[in-house]
Amino acid sequence: MSETTTPTVVIVPGLRDHVADHWQTRLADQLDRVRTVPPLERDKLSCAARVAALDAVLTEIDGPVVLVAHSAGVMITVRWAQQSTRPVQGALLATPPDFETPLPDGYPSREELDANGWTPIPWRRLPFPSIVAASTNDPLATYRRVSGMAEAWGSRLVDLGEVGHLNPASGYGDWPRAAELLRELVEETMPAAAAPEAAR
């Protein structure tokens, strides 16, 4: 692929922001064309502020973009998609949380999430292709709820099995499947004119 057809990957972290041993950080280290949404200095729990931070990164990028979001980063991505007209080639959405049910200890309360604009969960179809990677034992969302999100968003659902919340606390660190799913997404959404070149 040429420089004009190779998408820039934009990493959208969750509420923990940049974590050195997180699979998103390690994936970013493997990529040539990549940007990561930076952590907020204030209003860290504000959904609107995080959506604005994602939008600011995207306005600085010319050409095609693929988003790679995890946890609350998925909700940031979905909310951004509802209010932006900037084209996106596709998105990998890993283990979205269910902010409409109480989360485990150590996470924001339902009241805090409500007050900071995270609810209700957006259920509108996304304007770009996407893959939802779901865990069957995620403490932040049931598989049934996540599969419902995937259906509402028009996403392809990928069952990851028992991977917890797919974070360092669950043993991920390295998650080689991320690169595989990203490659699949890029190939599936590649503009037709670029496909013969990529196949060489």
Side-chain angles (χ1 to χ4, degrees), residues 46-56 75-77 79-81 83:
S46 167
C47 183
R50 288 183 178 268
V51 169
L54 170 58
D55 191 64
M75 296 305 167
I76 295 164
T77 299
R79 287 187 176 279
W80 172 85
Q83 61 190 52

Side-chain angles (χ1 to χ4, degrees), residues 16 37-38 44 54 66 69 72 91 107 109 117 126 131-132 140 148 154-155 172-173 181 187 200:
R16 309 277 191 212
V37 179
K44 293 190 175 186
L54 170 58
V66 171
Y107 289 91
S109 68
L126 293 173
I131 296 172
V132 168
L140 273 62
S155 307
Y172 302 88
L181 290 173
E187 291 173 355
R200 291 189 199 125

Side-chain angles (χ1 to χ4, degrees), residues 15-62:
L15 295 178
R16 309 277 191 212
D17 288 315
H18 183 278
V19 179
D21 57 351
H22 195 286
W23 63 265
Q24 283 183 304
T25 308
R26 297 187 181 186
L27 176 65
D29 290 341
Q30 301 169 22
L31 301 172
D32 294 325
R33 297 171 66 87
V34 63
R35 293 281 304 277
T36 298
V37 179
L40 296 178
E41 296 300 321
R42 57 191 179 87
D43 298 327
K44 293 190 175 186
L45 196 54
S46 167
C47 183
R50 288 183 178 268
V51 169
L54 170 58
D55 191 64
V57 170
L58 291 171
T59 57
E60 296 172 355
I61 301 171
D62 293 323

Side-chain angles (χ1 to χ4, degrees), residues 53-114:
L54 170 58
D55 191 64
V57 170
L58 291 171
T59 57
E60 296 172 355
I61 301 171
D62 293 323
V65 166
V66 171
L67 305 173
V68 175
H70 173 250
S71 191
V74 175
M75 296 305 167
I76 295 164
T77 299
V78 172
R79 287 187 176 279
W80 172 85
Q82 290 191 330
Q83 61 190 52
S84 176
T85 57
R86 193 237 192 265
V88 167
Q89 183 170 328
L92 172 58
L93 309 172
T95 57
D98 183 0
F99 282 159
E100 294 180 352
T101 60
L103 301 181
D105 290 343
Y107 289 91
S109 68
R110 174 66 194 271
E111 291 73 23
E112 288 174 313
L113 293 169
D114 290 349

